[in-house]
């Protein structure tokens, strides 16, 4: 069983410092590479799916969260207000109120819908010190968030599309969900008192899940305060479950913020708001990936994708030139020269790197690359440009396969 906190420190991905504070990890260069690659993948997937990206501030007036319902139902998890010029501001616990205001800032026609608004933005939760742990429970969160504003007739299709985005992302990341959960309100919780809206939202989510063919379980007490949601559950090595991705239907906030669009009949209509997160928080996603893969990330996500191992000092110039060619292709390559020890020691040190290229005298003279794969396979030497091109294509495909089983290196 892998512990992401231990691996994160051993692999120089992230760490914490008492002077920064508990639950506030910082990302070291290799960790920042992983995070950036993950963010780029999500950004590209959203763009291809018709999302428009926005930025919004991490602060808002207390009044904003009073209107959204967060202050009444969620204030225990929010940081205390800050007094500024006679007004109270808070660090946001969620991005949705900001996105609702951004939608409201312009008039909208039914022809524009669905309007898909996405942001990878910061939010803050005042977690108690006792529950903080590595990247899984933190106080400063980078959330892969999106809000879809649509007509009632579009809800099922948009929610199904969000589930499909999650499925494709999990395939690229090598994540296997343990179950899908329909999260419903439970007794004693702080929920918005709107029985009819809850009923409509739940019926729509059941329709989406039934149409998808995915097995799911209903769970009381797991809903958001404003509505039910589909939670995609993953588990760590010890079997502890957590929610990584969500799809939520919200009739509440469009009412609270008086959102509307002009329909085909020329009248005002209320849109439905779908909250959707493909990978949830970047922190929790990386924690899960570390524990699932033991630091052996899929090639497109690995901090170093190719390590170049010159046998002796004589091959160093060629190894450096090969690394520069990798950089031109957008590949993350590193040269591990003889100053780091014997060839065997360098190969062992690079055991988590997807591809290893040993450069001897023949490879340097003939511009060849003889690959060793992380899974133990060794490939015959092939022309450097052809081998690098194949690696580039495999990385660009965002899959988990290191090399096709029957393919030659060239």
């Amino acid at each position: 069983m892998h512990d992401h906190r231990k691996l994160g420190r051993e692999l120089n991905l992230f760490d914490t410092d008492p002077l920064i504070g508990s639950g506030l990890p910082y990302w070291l260069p290799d960790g920042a590479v992983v995070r950036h690659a993950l963010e780029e993948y999500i950004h590209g997937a959203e763009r291809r799916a018709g999302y428009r990206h926005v930025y919004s501030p991490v602060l808002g007036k207390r009044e904003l969260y009073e209107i959204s319902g967060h202050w009444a139902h969620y204030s225990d998890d929010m940081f205390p207000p800050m007094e500024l010029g006679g007004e109270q501001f808070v660090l946001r616990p969620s991005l949705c109120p900001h996105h609702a205001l951004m939608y409201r800032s312009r008039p909208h026609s039914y022809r524009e819908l669905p309007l898909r608004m996405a942001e990878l933005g910061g939010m803050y939760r005042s977690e108690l010190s006792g529950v903080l742990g590595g990247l899984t429970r933190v106080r400063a969160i980078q959330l892969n968030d999106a809000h879809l504003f649509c007509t009632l007739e579009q809800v099922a299709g948009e929610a199904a599309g969000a589930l499909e985005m999650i499925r494709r992302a999990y395939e690229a990341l090598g994540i296997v969900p343990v179950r899908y959960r329909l999260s419903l309100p439970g007794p004693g919780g702080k929920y918005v008192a709107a029985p009819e809206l809850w009923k409509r939202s739940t019926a729509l989510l059941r329709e989406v899940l039934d149409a998808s063919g995915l097995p799911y379980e209903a769970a009381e007490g797991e809903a958001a305060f404003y509505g039910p949601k589909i939670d995609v559950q993953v588990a760590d090595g010890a079997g502890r479950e957590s929610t990584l991705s969500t799809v939520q239907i919200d009739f509440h906030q469009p009412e609270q913020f008086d959102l509307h669009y002009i329909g085909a009949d020329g009248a005002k209509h209320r849109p439905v708001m779908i909250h959707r997160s493909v990978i949830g928080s970047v922190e929790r996603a990386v924690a899960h990936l570390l524990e699932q893969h033991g630091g052996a990330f899929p090639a497109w996500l690995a901090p170093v994708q190719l390590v170049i191992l010159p046998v002796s000092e004589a091959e160093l110039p060629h190894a450096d030139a090969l690394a520069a060619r990798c950089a031109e292709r957008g590949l993350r390559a590193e040269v591990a020269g003889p100053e780091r020890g014997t060839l065997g020691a360098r190969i062992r040190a690079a055991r988590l790197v997807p591809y290893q290229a040993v450069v001897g005298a023949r490879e340097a003279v003939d511009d060849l690359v003889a690959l060793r794969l992380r899974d133990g396979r060794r490939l015959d030497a092939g022309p450097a440009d052809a081998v690098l091109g194949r690696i580039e294509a495999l990385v660009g495909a965002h899959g988990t396969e290191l090399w096709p089983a029957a393919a030659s290196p060239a």
Side-chain angles (χ1 to χ4, degrees):
M1 183 176 73
H2 302 291
D3 183 335
H4 82 275
R5 294 166 296 185
K6 184 172 181 287
L7 276 171
R9 289 177 174 84
E10 288 176 355
L11 301 177
N12 293 315
L13 300 179
F14 67 89
D15 212 331
T16 58
D17 191 287
L19 283 176
I20 296 176
S22 300
L24 299 168
Y26 55 80
W27 298 81
L28 295 163
D30 279 354
V33 168
V34 174
R35 173 174 161 172
H36 185 67
L38 189 57
E39 292 173 358
E40 274 194 328
Y41 167 78
I42 291 296
H43 192 276
E46 288 173 337
R47 192 174 59 250
R48 289 188 295 274
Y51 286 75
R52 305 291 299 276
H53 290 92
V54 298
Y55 294 103
S56 58
V58 299
L59 283 171
K61 286 186 181 180
R62 172 177 163 170
E63 182 185 358
L64 170 62
Y65 304 102
E66 290 174 341
I67 294 170
S68 71
H70 285 82
W71 192 257
H73 301 281
Y74 205 74
S75 58
D76 289 347
D77 295 298
M78 295 171 64
F79 280 96
M82 295 172 277
E83 294 284 346
L84 293 170
E87 296 179 311
Q88 289 191 330
F89 289 80
V90 293
L91 287 166
R92 67 178 175 194
S94 178
L95 281 69
C96 46
H98 291 256
H99 289 185
L101 291 183
M102 293 168 85
Y103 176 90
R104 196 177 73 177
S105 69
R106 303 287 186 277
H108 298 283
S109 160
Y110 71 97
R111 298 180 187 277
E112 296 175 63
L113 305 185
L115 191 155
R116 306 179 184 104
M117 189 182 296
E119 180 176 3
L120 202 145
M123 65 182 197
Y124 301 84
R125 303 279 171 87
S126 61
E127 301 277 13
L128 298 174
S129 297
V131 301
L132 298 172
L135 295 178
T136 54
R137 293 290 289 269
V138 293
R139 288 172 170 156
I141 302 162
Q142 288 296 313
L143 186 68
N144 157 231
D145 206 6
H147 296 95
L148 295 80
F149 302 90
C150 59
T151 68
L152 186 60
E153 294 74 24
Q154 293 168 335
V155 168
E158 290 301 304
L163 275 179
E164 176 59 16
M165 283 189 74
I166 293 167
R167 185 197 66 76
R168 289 198 299 267
Y170 282 24
E171 191 175 77
L173 292 162
I175 295 174
V176 180
V178 293
R179 66 186 177 115
Y180 290 81
R181 186 177 73 192
L182 177 59
S183 296
L184 303 172
K190 290 185 175 181
Y191 301 106
V192 170
E196 280 306 308
L197 297 185
W198 280 94
K199 188 176 178 180
R200 291 171 73 190
S201 301
T202 302
L204 281 166
L205 287 180
R206 284 191 186 277
E207 177 187 336
V208 170
L209 284 166
D210 290 340
S212 73
L214 295 168
Y216 66 92
E217 302 169 16
E220 291 189 352
E222 299 293 342
F225 73 83
Y226 49 77
K229 55 194 174 105
I230 297 170
D231 287 326
V232 186
Q233 300 296 104
V234 295
D236 63 15
R240 293 183 294 262
E241 275 193 25
S242 60
T243 301
L244 196 58
S245 312
T246 62
V247 180
Q248 309 168 26
I249 293 176
D250 182 3
F251 289 96
H252 171 71
Q253 290 192 67
E255 293 240 3
Q256 292 298 106
F257 288 104
D258 191 26
L259 306 184
H260 61 264
Y261 65 91
I262 304 301
D265 57 0
K268 288 184 177 181
H269 297 269
R270 188 82 68 204
V272 183
M273 190 173 179
I274 299 174
H275 305 240
R276 182 246 65 189
S277 184
V278 172
I279 57 163
S281 78
V282 172
E283 290 80 10
R284 182 170 288 181
V286 172
H288 182 75
L289 288 167
L290 264 173
E291 297 194 352
Q292 177 153 326
H293 297 299
F297 292 107
W300 64 270
L301 201 57
V304 177
Q305 294 164 326
L306 172 67
V307 64
I308 302 165
L309 303 157
V311 173
S312 68
E313 297 282 345
E315 290 81 40
L316 261 176
H318 181 77
D320 289 335
L322 189 61
R325 287 157 70 183
C326 289
E328 289 173 1
R329 291 177 174 270
L331 296 174
R332 298 185 289 274
E334 178 182 282
V335 176
E339 75 281 358
R340 299 194 191 182
T342 66
L343 180 61
R346 285 179 278 149
I347 288 172
R348 288 190 296 275
R351 67 192 182 282
L352 297 178
V353 177
Y355 306 103
Q356 300 178 358
V358 177
V359 178
R362 175 177 170 246
E363 287 79 17
V365 170
D366 296 335
D367 194 26
L368 302 173
V369 170
L371 281 185
R372 291 169 172 257
L373 306 185
R374 182 173 58 198
D375 60 16
R377 284 181 284 167
R378 298 188 188 187
L379 306 180
D380 294 335
D385 282 339
V387 175
L388 296 183
R390 180 64 64 85
I391 294 174
E392 183 183 0
L394 288 165
V395 166
H398 294 100
T400 55
E401 186 178 47
L402 286 178
W403 202 270
S408 69

